Amino acid sequence: MTVAYSVRVALGTADREACFAVRKEVFVAEQQVPEDIEYDAYDAEDADTIHVLAVGAEGVALGTGRLLHGASALGKTGGDLTVGSLGRLAVRGAARGLGVGAALVGAIEDAARERGLAAVDLHAQTHALGFYERLGYAAYGPEFLDAGIAHLAMRRVLSAS
């Protein structure tokens, strides 16, 4: 099944609310992540965070993710200003398996390259390791729990293009 969609940097209040609605559906409702820890200071309108949004042909939000960079990423990347942090990647159940997640990761990596970043780190739920490995990410460090879900840190060094 082929579904038409586009991926863009989220601009304005409506796009950001669409990102948050996808995250609420996937993380809070589906995965039972407490809502009070799903949203953080990096979601504030004035935060230096890039949110990306996948939208279907009918204008329905299908997925989202975000990039922390510069000072906002320091705590997540071990203090390395050349590394961005990909996070909050979520795709609605009906859109899984259609390439939406890979397209979102690609858009986040493009945004990272535009900002001169050399690599992107992420914290992957262990069930999603294969997805990220297929996109060129390599796991490092010990497994850890985040919101009661097993995760591993992963990194991908970015090429120039």
Side-chain angles (χ1 to χ4, degrees), residues 51-142:
H51 296 267
V52 295
L53 179 65
V55 180
E58 313 263 323
V60 175
L62 302 176
T64 187
R66 73 179 186 188
L67 173 68
L68 306 181
H69 59 95
S72 65
L74 289 179
K76 302 216 178 241
T77 62
D80 189 340
L81 284 171
T82 68
V83 179
S85 178
L86 184 159
R88 302 305 202 267
L89 188 74
V91 176
R92 287 194 158 129
R96 292 183 193 143
L98 303 174
V100 174
L104 288 163
V105 171
I108 290 168
E109 290 172 351
D110 288 345
R113 280 185 200 90
E114 289 170 10
R115 283 150 186 81
L117 299 178
V120 173
D121 277 2
L122 58 87
H123 293 162
Q125 294 180 8
T126 55
H127 72 84
L129 290 177
F131 166 76
Y132 289 112
E133 288 170 341
R134 286 188 296 279
L135 297 176
Y137 286 81
Y140 65 90

Side-chain angles (χ1 to χ4, degrees), residues 138-152:
Y140 65 90
E143 186 175 293
F144 61 94
L145 292 178
D146 186 4
I149 301 168
H151 285 70
L152 277 171

